[in-house]
Amino acid sequence: MKGNLGNLMRQAQQMQQKLARMQEKMAAETAEGQAGGGMVTAVVNGKHALISIKIEKDVINPDDADMLQDLIVSAVNQANTNMADRMQEEMSKITGGMNVPGLNGLF
């Protein structure tokens, strides 16, 4: 029994180290999201911080600011969803697809 607990603890430490390395790696990664057929493009990093936003001139209409705001929100949300999907893929590589309590929603 004692040996099994020791093995479990070692495995947990190894997984923790792998997760820390993955978080460092993913912090430097970027993901892009688009809205309005590419009229608005947002880029976020692995910490879900907005890095850049590109807005095509054709979509800028002072009489319809609501549409532009919606496109920006949509592009940023898409970029964050894309990043979360990439992080989940990386997490699955570490956990072997296993559902580990406490790790879901970590990223």
Side-chain angles (χ1 to χ4, degrees), residues 10-20 94-95 98 100 103:
R10 273 192 296 283
Q11 288 175 347
Q13 284 178 327
Q14 289 172 349
M15 185 175 289
Q16 187 177 24
Q17 290 169 350
K18 288 178 183 179
L19 287 171
I94 292 172
T95 63
M98 197 172 55
V100 179
L103 293 182

